[in-house]
Amino acid sequence: MSYLDEIIKSRRDTRHFTNEEVPDAVIEKALEAGHWAPSVGLTEATRYYLIKSAEVKKAVKKLFLDYDEKAAQSTDNESQKVQYQALKLEAIEDAPLGLVIAYDRSVLNHFTIGTVGSNEAIKNSAVCAAQNIWLSLTEQGYSMGWVSILNYYQFKKILGLPEHIEPLGYFCVGKPATDYGKQPMLQQLNWKKKSEAPIVTEINHLIIDEDKKVAVSSKHKDVATTLKKELEDKINQKTKPIGSLGVLEKIAQQIGEVFQTLEPKIKNPNIIVFAADHGIAQHGVSAYPQDVTRQMVSNFLEGGAAINVFCKQNDITLSIVDAGVNYDFPSNVKLISNKIDKGTHSFLSTSAMSKTQMQLCFSKGAEMVTSIAKQGCNCVGFGEMGIGNTATASVLMSVLCNFSIEDCVGKGTGVDDEKLQFKIAILRKAIENYEGEKDFDSYLAHFGGFEILQMAGGMLEAYQQNMIFLVDGFICSVAFLIAFKKNPEILKNAIFSHQSAEKAHKKLLDYLDVSAVLQLDLRLGEGTGCALVFPIITSAVAFLNEMASFESAGVSENKS
């Protein structure tokens, strides 16, 4: 065995340190090793921050403890919780030196000529640097421990790191107090055994991904005329004048036809909020900075947003999906990661995404709905969050419906009249700059948003799963427009929750020849309209199933 092999095998994620100080020469040599790690496009995006302050260490330790408690609460039973809490997962205050390894996203604005940069590439370069540092410290008789269970937003805040600097985590550095029996600590504690060899598969033939036609489920054969007529008769025989419950009667009829039963039941309702960032936002088309997307996702996860309140009020499960937020969220059991990338590119000058990313959006949205359908859900609502997504939705509506951009642009989350004219001018310029093919998929890739296309994929899958699905406001209706153009049959399963205050929404609903149930001047997004309309949905089902008929109540029916 070579000396290098010995170093690699003895490299440990260390949690126990002596109080011996780390000599400057040791850390300098280790950081030099990190500097010479592979760096995609020679970006040199990796950054290092040294921490010796007891005050800073204490603050970082508190962040760890807050998230560690959440992790302990997510264990399956009390025995697991006790085992988890017995683990030593950090040595933030014990280790003599703290090291933050980070990467600088701003280098992507000035990338090496002849190469194309991505956030994942520079992040992975920083990981290579971390490994080099680890190996160098091991060779010198020192070690590191990686702490990643942190609220990264607060972590950056207490360290004073700018928005474009993204930390991999906090690394504890020092002289190890134990060799852990020359094996990983979790293996030493009998939690898990490291496999003896790497998992390797040889790929020896090419897979050609041919276009697949969407299969039409046998569930979606035309509803038998008899069932349709039976539902109409059941509704008309209730102890009321015919048509007197208005829209409730239409909803009851629709739900009965979708579920193909005279006694439909709403089961395990779920609202999915898809969040993503948009490159067009960097041009000032929103009243809010892009970081609000990340802030609001955190608010959803902490239960503080309007959609949290309304879902709790109506006993609706809320699922939060990171479809492409420009942020690395910490590990959190409540956040579902469908991240395609850290936001789209600005379609003012280039394509928002590749066609591969576009297709991935549809598949990931479908997978999300399939997952909740397997949990017994038959009614799903769609919501969104993303600074700049009204601009994206407006352009998509314009190019897909052949409307002028002026007819498709509104104030979004509250821009003033002057900013509105600026927004229209920017989006008009983006459409004028487009030189791609005029086909449907090319438009979606060039002007699309990750959350909008994932919602469209989810709606298509909700139809395949025979679910009722609720469409929120303007942006969700644009997602529906995209799904509808792929499969017009989905209209049978859709309920449009509300007509928003965004002026283009009414025009789009008219284009689709549909009506919204509510008109509350909402322009919040988040799926709030879906949650607010839900009691009306359940009322429609309730009257269909529980209201007496003329015959059962012994009430004379008006035969005239």
Side-chain angles (χ1 to χ4, degrees):
M1 179 183 290
S2 72
Y3 185 49
L4 176 61
D5 289 333
E6 291 177 5
I7 296 299
I8 291 172
K9 280 201 165 186
S10 61
R11 206 275 290 154
R12 295 281 171 265
D13 192 7
T14 304
R15 309 297 187 193
H16 301 81
F17 295 92
T18 70
N19 59 8
E20 182 180 328
E21 293 296 318
V22 180
D24 289 344
V26 170
I27 192 65
E28 287 171 6
K29 183 178 180 181
L31 293 180
E32 185 76 8
H35 178 67
W36 289 108
S39 175
V40 62
L42 286 182
T43 50
E44 298 189 81
T46 309
R47 303 288 181 265
Y48 308 103
Y49 302 87
L50 299 177
I51 297 172
K52 298 179 181 179
S53 163
E55 180 185 20
V56 176
K57 289 180 181 179
K58 183 176 181 180
V60 175
K61 175 70 173 282
K62 183 179 185 305
L63 289 181
F64 166 81
L65 292 175
D66 289 344
Y67 260 64
D68 187 51
E69 177 59 27
K70 292 181 180 179
Q73 296 302 327
S74 68
T75 51
D76 293 337
N77 52 56
E78 191 61 29
S79 175
Q80 273 192 3
K81 182 178 179 180
V82 171
Q83 284 182 296
Y84 174 82
Q85 290 176 324
L87 288 173
K88 182 172 177 56
L89 297 177
E90 54 76 37
I92 296 169
E93 292 185 291
D94 305 338
L97 179 65
L99 171 64
V100 177
I101 303 175
Y103 57 98
D104 183 353
R105 286 191 289 109
S106 69
V107 302
L108 295 176
N109 299 326
H110 311 283
F111 211 72
T112 309
I113 294 174
T115 57
V116 178
S118 73
N119 191 82
E120 288 305 306
I122 60 172
K123 178 179 180 180
N124 292 338
S125 296
V127 173
C128 289
Q131 178 73 330
N132 271 19
I133 293 168
W134 226 316
L135 293 174
S136 174
L137 287 170
T138 303
E139 189 271 337
Q140 298 180 80
Y142 292 81
S143 190
M144 286 201 309
W146 191 339
V147 181
S148 59
I149 308 175
L150 298 165
N151 180 319
Y152 276 61
Y153 173 67
Q154 293 296 332
F155 184 47
K156 288 173 62 173
K157 192 173 180 180
I158 65 174
L159 297 181
L161 300 182
E163 187 274 334
H164 56 88
I165 297 295
E166 298 289 357
L168 298 178
Y170 182 97
F171 294 82
C172 305
V173 182
K175 176 81 75 172
T178 173
D179 66 0
Y180 303 106
K182 298 187 181 301
Q183 57 187 312
M185 186 180 72
L186 290 179
Q187 180 170 305
Q188 183 190 40
L189 297 175
N190 298 315
W191 271 65
K192 186 177 181 180
K193 185 174 176 61
K194 190 174 182 69
S195 57
E196 293 297 325
I199 300 169
V200 181
T201 303
E202 180 180 354
I203 298 175
N204 51 28
H205 65 278
L206 183 65
I207 304 297
I208 300 175
D209 186 16
E210 297 179 349
D211 290 339
K212 298 183 177 73
K213 295 192 179 295
V214 177
V216 178
S217 171
S218 59
K219 299 175 184 176
H220 292 87
K221 294 176 180 177
D222 289 338
V223 177
T225 304
T226 52
L227 175 63
K228 184 180 180 76
K229 184 66 167 61
E230 286 172 354
L231 279 165
E232 290 174 355
D233 289 343
K234 182 176 181 180
I235 291 169
N236 290 339
Q237 287 299 314
K238 297 298 183 181
T239 50
K240 61 173 182 59
I242 291 177
S244 60
L245 282 178
V247 174
L248 283 181
E249 297 188 20
K250 294 179 181 179
I251 293 173
Q253 178 84 29
Q254 179 183 5
I255 294 175
E257 290 184 17
V258 169
F259 294 164
Q260 299 182 30
T261 176
L262 294 173
E263 297 180 348
K265 291 180 175 60
I266 300 295
K267 300 175 183 176
N268 302 321
N270 195 310
I271 291 177
I272 311 172
V273 179
F274 293 84
D277 277 307
H278 296 252
I280 194 65
Q282 70 192 50
H283 303 288
V285 295
S286 174
Y288 294 91
Q290 188 181 79
D291 194 46
V292 170
T293 306
R294 187 270 309 160
Q295 293 170 3
M296 283 305 301
V297 170
S298 298
N299 194 22
F300 297 149
L301 297 174
E302 296 299 326
I307 189 60
N308 298 98
V309 173
F310 298 146
C311 282
K312 182 178 180 181
Q313 175 190 11
N314 294 300
D315 197 23
I316 302 169
T317 299
L318 178 61
S319 301
I320 308 300
V321 175
D322 175 6
V325 180
N326 187 20
Y327 190 74
D328 281 321
F329 288 97
S331 176
N332 190 310
V333 293
K334 295 184 291 184
L335 180 64
I336 299 161
S337 180
N338 275 5
K339 192 188 288 288
I340 306 295
D341 203 344
K342 286 193 170 182
T344 57
H345 299 294
S346 170
F347 54 67
L348 184 62
S349 55
T350 188
S351 183
M353 66 186 79
S354 68
K355 286 191 175 179
T356 299
Q357 288 178 317
M358 176 201 70
Q359 292 160 354
L360 189 58
C361 285
F362 282 99
S363 63
K364 281 188 172 291
E367 289 167 6
M368 182 65 214
V369 171
T370 299
S371 174
I372 67 169
K374 287 179 179 178
Q375 297 168 27
C377 171
N378 66 0
C379 178
V380 58
F382 291 91
E384 45 63 40
M385 176 62 215
I387 296 302
N389 64 5
T390 55
T392 298
S394 296
V395 173
L396 286 169
M397 177 181 167
S398 176
V399 298
L400 297 180
C401 299
N402 199 27
F403 293 147
S404 72
I405 190 62
E406 288 80 2
D407 286 341
C408 303
V409 178
K411 294 187 175 182
T413 47
V415 299
D416 57 27
D417 290 337
E418 181 180 353
K419 195 72 171 278
L420 176 60
Q421 294 308 310
F422 172 79
K423 181 177 178 180
I424 291 171
I426 287 286
L427 300 185
R428 186 192 301 115
K429 182 67 173 175
I431 295 172
E432 290 171 353
N433 287 348
Y434 180 68
E435 296 178 348
E437 299 294 326
K438 299 296 195 288
D439 63 285
F440 184 67
D441 283 353
S442 295
Y443 279 140
L444 295 187
H446 191 89
F447 296 112
F450 295 140
E451 83 281 35
I452 294 174
L453 298 188
Q454 287 196 29
M455 285 192 293
M459 292 173 187
L460 289 165
E461 184 61 23
Y463 169 77
Q464 292 293 333
Q465 294 287 342
N466 221 41
M467 303 166 81
I468 283 288
F469 66 87
L470 311 179
V471 183
D472 193 33
F474 173 58
I475 295 151
C476 289
S477 294
V478 170
F480 177 86
L481 168 70
I482 293 166
F484 176 78
K485 285 186 175 288
K486 282 183 169 285
N487 183 4
E489 291 297 310
I490 69 169
L491 190 59
K492 298 175 183 176
N493 295 58
I495 294 176
F496 293 82
S497 61
H498 75 104
Q499 180 181 314
S500 78
E502 193 75 0
K503 73 167 190 176
H505 196 201
K506 172 67 163 60
K507 189 174 184 68
L508 181 55
L509 295 177
D510 289 344
Y511 175 86
L512 294 166
D513 194 24
V514 296
S515 297
V517 178
L518 301 172
Q519 186 166 351
L520 301 174
D521 287 338
L522 302 176
R523 52 182 178 87
L524 177 60
E526 303 179 7
T528 47
C530 300
L532 291 170
V533 83
F534 186 72
I536 296 175
I537 306 298
T538 56
S539 293
V541 172
F543 101 76
L544 180 63
N545 291 333
E546 300 173 26
M547 188 174 175
S549 66
F550 286 110
E551 182 180 358
S552 66
V555 175
S556 298
E557 185 178 356
N558 184 356
K559 300 291 186 180
S560 60

